[in-house]
Amino acid sequence: MTDQSLLERITAQAEIMDGKPVVRGTRLTVPFLLGLLAHGATVDEILEEYEGLTREDIQACLLFASRSLEQTSFLSSVREAI
């Protein structure tokens, strides 16, 4: 599956979840799903809990986050912390 086809699974509309990025056709936000993964939930556990969600949807969340972070600079934050 191409990056573009994965990213098309993520949408953001002002009237849905206050404009947060969600998996298309759901109210599951990218930050929510990433938080589940960060706290140790497996992909299989998430898929069992949220019927209709696919492995590709979770891959899309990871790619979306990766692309979003590419456009963010952390150097100034690191300097302020020192």
Side-chain angles (χ1 to χ4, degrees):
M1 183 163 277
T2 67
D3 284 1
Q4 184 60 36
S5 61
L6 283 173
L7 291 173
E8 288 172 358
R9 293 171 173 270
I10 306 299
T11 64
Q13 298 175 349
E15 63 276 3
I16 299 174
M17 303 301 289
D18 293 325
K20 291 181 183 175
V22 299
V23 174
R24 183 178 299 283
T26 75
R27 296 179 83 71
L28 297 170
T29 67
V30 171
F32 174 74
L33 292 169
L34 294 176
L36 292 176
L37 292 168
H39 286 94
T42 67
V43 172
D44 289 332
E45 289 170 339
I46 295 169
L47 295 177
E48 285 177 26
E49 184 69 26
Y50 299 98
E51 190 173 323
L53 197 65
T54 67
R55 193 168 298 278
E56 290 81 9
D57 292 332
I58 295 174
Q59 288 175 301
C61 290
L62 293 168
L63 181 60
F64 181 88
S66 172
R67 292 285 175 88
S68 296
L69 287 172
E70 286 175 354
Q71 300 171 16
T72 303
S73 174
F74 294 99
L75 187 54
S76 61
S77 298
V78 172
R79 285 184 184 156
E80 291 172 10
I82 295 177

